[in-house]
Amino acid sequence: MFKLTFLGTSSGVPTRHRNVTSLALQTTHNRDWWMIDCGEATQHRLQRLPLSVHDLVGICITHVHGDHSYGLPGLLASASMTGRKKPLLLIAPAAIKAWIDATLLHTELFLTYPLIHIDVDSAPVVHEEAGLTISRHALSHRAPSVGYRFALETSRWKLDKAALQAAGAPPGPAWGLLQAGQDAILDDGTLLRAATFRQTETQRATVVIGGDNDTPALLTDACAGAQLLVHEATYTEAMLQKVGPGPTHSSVQRVAQFAEAVRLPNLILTHFSARYHNADGMAELEAEARLHYSGELFLARDFDSYELDAAGVLSKLPGKSH
Amino acid sequence: MFKLTFLGTSSGVPTRHRNVTSLALQTTHNRDWWMIDCGEATQHRLQRLPLSVHDLVGICITHVHGDHSYGLPGLLASASMTGRKKPLLLIAPAAIKAWIDATLLHTELFLTYPLIHIDVDSAPVVHEEAGLTISRHALSHRAPSVGYRFALETSRWKLDKAALQAAGAPPGPAWGLLQAGQDAILDDGTLLRAATFRQTETQRATVVIGGDNDTPALLTDACAGAQLLVHEATYTEAMLQKVGPGPTHSSVQRVAQFAEAVRLPNLILTHFSARYHNADGMAELEAEARLHYSGELFLARDFDSYELDAAGVLSKLPGKSH
């Protein structure tokens, strides 16, 4: 249903193997994809992946901080230079729109396509299209921040194969006609009606992508019925206590306890402080998470891809991490 | 005298092996360095080099276009996050200052150090400090663009070794005293005056770094007495004719002919269109350059470093290119 690819998993500053925050979200029905946050050099990450900026439908920005937004000007400019024509949605705080307007003006950037801004504060549902509903959920951070909930519902026609077999219609051309919604007549003259043998099968999946946030419980409503939460876990609880409440980030423990409390089946942590970027650091974060969360857990790395299927099962896809 | 390290050598858009424009310029007398232009992900390039943003004295921006400036916000933010306190000079068009001000405002970026803007239009000499004079020279591009001339003059005391030997003073402690400006008395009572045996030796080197520019001859005055020109050469003359005058860039031929005409001893070409980023493309550009220029020629690659010595000799330093 969903494929997620992490373009950047570092908090604040890039390091050699982790870039600042960005995430690509694809749905399985076409090549279109969404981006959530766009730290500097996100376009450079895309060059190493089979994701084209021309298939990008929209960009959701969680909050104004540079490690989540400074890749926007370059990405927008490069899309123009490579000839994009179709509109691009920018779901973002009004300040991001003001900054992009200032960028267009002062750096003489002329876009070859319409950039359509949707103010993240305008309504709880920020985008709706066939089968996909994106809503935003207010978080707690030193700058106004939101999480995005992507709810996907896809329907497809499915033949009642058992009933067809029982009616004396084995697999064959008639099945193709019925699948396409046309009635079929068997060689013996039996009429098979599509309305009888064809049913709608609906699949649903919901993913919640948090922005910077020190209070995971603010996502309780967003996570109702969701199969996956992606959330920042900047440091351990001990480090959060040491750093103090100023940065308004979450610890691994807080996110893990929240995910356990709302019985979320899958959790991916990201946005790690540079102090944890070696193997020991990541092991420390993972150990803290497993202490408080019993579901399927991953700590994201740049270039990691995951698939969430219609049964709610999350799998890490094979492929290189850096 | 000067060390140059290319941080980005691509025109317009980054490619897998070439980033958008930026150049680091060091003088040999300390760790301080200057940056000329700052395309997106320049800070990412610095992570792979022994250049610290804390030793960066100033950034010179040639013009407002994003492929020369979109790395500024992230670089400024990261310098703050890693605790920079000392002032940073930003020699740039007023529009860049306005854009940075808008960035600070809309993305809630608070710098921990003074950012001192020097309007590139304010005066021909944009910066002067002990031994270093930076002047700007107007170019021709679709946005106002300048080249920067870095003139370095360093003086040091040098002993007249031949005269000392003739005076019966072989190498020894007396030489150290004289070098430090103190008179010395030899074992036989001979007085050696520092003023007699110590002379000032002055070394000079001048480098001109062009911005985007379709008329190299505008740098004629800047190149007077210079040993090295670094200039964009976006495509071949044939491609320039095909593309037309709209982009207002230089061809290799035009830059090479100019450098030959003003008898510049060293030329480094950069800012290549992505269409030339393979070996064949670079060979085509180099062949065109050698047809029109007989001096020391290099086509820059990302991470290439060069040293210009006091004799005006330019050498490519050993090290990895990407």
Side-chain angles (χ1 to χ4, degrees):
Chain A
M1 299 284 291
F2 281 113
K3 182 178 170 187
L4 298 87
T5 304
F6 286 83
L7 306 174
T9 60
S10 179
S11 159
V13 294
T15 62
R16 278 195 64 154
H17 297 292
R18 292 181 183 267
N19 197 25
V20 282
T21 300
S22 184
L23 173 66
L25 186 67
Q26 295 165 272
T27 59
T28 38
H29 52 252
N30 56 32
R31 294 177 61 86
D32 289 354
W33 62 285
W34 289 82
M35 180 182 287
I36 300 93
D37 283 335
C38 185
E40 183 183 0
T42 292
Q43 65 163 325
H44 297 68
R45 284 306 204 219
L46 294 180
Q47 290 180 329
R48 293 169 191 269
L49 290 165
L51 286 168
S52 165
V53 76
H54 293 267
D55 299 321
L56 178 60
V57 180
I59 305 174
C60 302
I61 299 290
T62 61
H63 65 297
V64 298
H65 286 158
D67 59 323
H68 295 250
S69 66
Y70 286 170
L72 278 173
L75 187 89
L76 299 180
S78 290
S80 272
M81 273 183 268
T82 52
R84 182 178 177 118
K85 297 288 173 208
K86 75 173 175 185
L88 180 66
L89 300 179
L90 177 63
I91 301 173
I96 285 291
K97 176 58 163 48
W99 178 55
I100 293 299
D101 285 344
T103 303
L104 298 175
L105 173 71
H106 295 304
T107 71
E108 302 187 17
L109 172 59
F110 305 99
L111 300 181
T112 56
Y113 52 88
L115 181 68
I116 299 168
H117 175 239
I118 296 157
D119 185 345
V120 79
D121 290 328
S122 59
V125 172
V126 287
H127 180 74
E128 242 183 325
E129 63 183 46
L132 178 66
T133 303
I134 308 176
S135 54
R136 56 87 178 140
H137 302 264
L139 301 176
S140 167
H141 189 51
R142 59 190 194 279
S145 179
V146 300
Y148 289 98
R149 182 183 203 265
F150 287 76
L152 185 65
E153 185 180 297
T154 63
S155 294
R156 56 175 189 176
W157 292 107
K158 203 183 168 185
L159 290 185
D160 185 341
K161 293 175 183 173
L164 282 167
Q165 299 273 14
W175 285 35
L177 287 170
L178 292 167
Q179 177 74 46
Q182 295 173 41
D183 297 339
I185 299 170
L186 298 181
D187 290 345
D188 66 2
T190 310
L191 174 66
L192 303 173
R193 293 195 183 277
T196 308
F197 295 100
R198 199 176 70 144
Q199 290 135 15
T200 306
E201 185 191 58
T202 301
Q203 297 184 321
R204 291 180 184 84
T206 296
V207 173
V208 178
I209 317 287
D212 285 6
N213 176 34
D214 66 6
T215 311
L218 288 169
L219 288 170
T220 303
D221 288 350
C223 287
Q227 289 77 51
L228 169 62
L229 171 64
V230 177
H231 200 284
E232 65 123 320
T234 306
Y235 17 60
T236 60
E237 179 63 22
M239 185 57 72
L240 185 149
Q241 295 293 342
K242 197 171 149 189
V243 170
T248 54
H249 285 301
S250 280
S251 69
V252 169
Q253 179 181 318
R254 289 178 192 192
V255 181
Q257 286 176 335
F258 165 71
E260 186 74 13
V262 300
R263 298 174 181 275
L264 254 171
N266 301 289
L267 175 63
I268 305 179
L269 301 177
T270 183
H271 194 272
F272 307 115
S273 162
R275 59 169 72 77
Y276 299 106
H277 287 193
N278 62 22
D280 285 352
M282 295 311 291
E284 188 185 350
L285 297 180
E286 184 174 345
E288 179 166 313
R290 294 203 184 279
L291 203 61
H292 300 282
Y293 178 68
S294 60
E296 192 72 12
L297 171 80
F298 294 96
L299 278 69
R301 294 176 301 179
D302 286 30
F303 297 108
D304 275 356
S305 283
Y306 297 88
E307 193 167 64
L308 180 71
D309 71 15
V313 174
L314 181 71
S315 319
K316 185 174 178 306
L317 298 173
K320 68 153 184 239
S321 285
H322 277 231
Chain B
M1 299 283 291
F2 281 113
K3 182 177 171 189
L4 299 86
T5 303
F6 286 83
L7 306 175
T9 60
S10 180
S11 158
V13 293
T15 61
R16 280 197 61 155
H17 298 292
R18 291 181 184 268
N19 197 25
V20 282
T21 299
S22 185
L23 173 65
L25 186 68
Q26 296 165 271
T27 59
T28 39
H29 51 251
N30 56 31
R31 294 177 60 88
D32 289 355
W33 61 285
W34 289 82
M35 179 182 287
I36 299 93
D37 283 335
C38 185
E40 183 183 0
T42 293
Q43 66 163 326
H44 297 68
R45 284 309 205 215
L46 294 180
Q47 291 180 329
R48 293 169 190 270
L49 290 165
L51 286 168
S52 165
V53 77
H54 293 268
D55 299 321
L56 178 60
V57 180
I59 305 174
C60 301
I61 299 290
T62 61
H63 65 298
V64 298
H65 286 158
D67 58 324
H68 296 249
S69 66
Y70 286 169
L72 278 174
L75 187 89
L76 299 181
S78 290
S80 273
M81 275 184 267
T82 52
R84 182 181 177 117
K85 298 288 173 207
K86 74 173 176 185
L88 181 66
L89 300 179
L90 177 64
I91 301 172
I96 286 291
K97 176 59 164 49
W99 178 56
I100 293 299
D101 285 345
T103 303
L104 298 176
L105 174 71
H106 295 305
T107 71
E108 302 186 16
L109 172 59
F110 306 98
L111 300 182
T112 56
Y113 52 89
L115 181 69
I116 299 168
H117 175 239
I118 296 157
D119 185 345
V120 78
D121 289 328
S122 59
V125 172
V126 288
H127 180 74
E128 241 182 327
E129 62 183 47
L132 179 66
T133 303
I134 309 176
S135 55
R136 57 87 178 141
H137 302 265
L139 301 175
S140 167
H141 188 51
R142 61 190 194 279
S145 179
V146 300
Y148 290 99
R149 182 183 202 267
F150 287 76
L152 184 66
E153 183 180 297
T154 63
S155 294
R156 57 174 189 177
W157 292 106
K158 203 183 167 185
L159 292 185
D160 186 342
K161 294 174 183 173
L164 280 167
Q165 299 272 15
W175 284 36
L177 287 170
L178 292 167
Q179 177 73 48
Q182 295 173 41
D183 297 341
I185 300 171
L186 297 182
D187 290 344
D188 66 2
T190 311
L191 175 67
L192 304 174
R193 292 194 184 277
T196 309
F197 295 100
R198 200 177 67 147
Q199 291 135 13
T200 305
E201 185 191 59
T202 300
Q203 298 184 320
R204 292 181 184 83
T206 296
V207 173
V208 177
I209 317 287
D212 285 7
N213 177 34
D214 66 6
T215 310
L218 288 169
L219 288 170
T220 303
D221 288 349
C223 287
Q227 288 78 49
L228 169 62
L229 170 65
V230 177
H231 200 283
E232 65 121 320
T234 306
Y235 16 62
T236 61
E237 179 63 22
M239 184 58 70
L240 185 149
Q241 294 293 342
K242 197 171 150 189
V243 170
T248 52
H249 284 301
S250 279
S251 68
V252 168
Q253 179 181 318
R254 290 178 191 192
V255 181
Q257 286 176 336
F258 164 73
E260 186 74 13
V262 298
R263 298 175 183 274
L264 254 171
N266 302 289
L267 175 64
I268 305 179
L269 302 177
T270 183
H271 194 272
F272 307 114
S273 162
R275 59 168 71 77
Y276 299 106
H277 288 193
N278 62 22
D280 286 353
M282 294 310 292
E284 188 185 351
L285 298 181
E286 185 173 345
E288 180 166 311
R290 294 201 185 281
L291 202 61
H292 301 281
Y293 178 68
S294 60
E296 192 71 14
L297 171 79
F298 294 96
L299 279 69
R301 294 176 303 178
D302 286 31
F303 297 107
D304 275 356
S305 283
Y306 297 88
E307 194 167 63
L308 180 71
D309 71 16
V313 175
L314 181 70
S315 319
K316 185 173 178 306
L317 298 174
K320 64 153 188 241
S321 286
H322 277 231

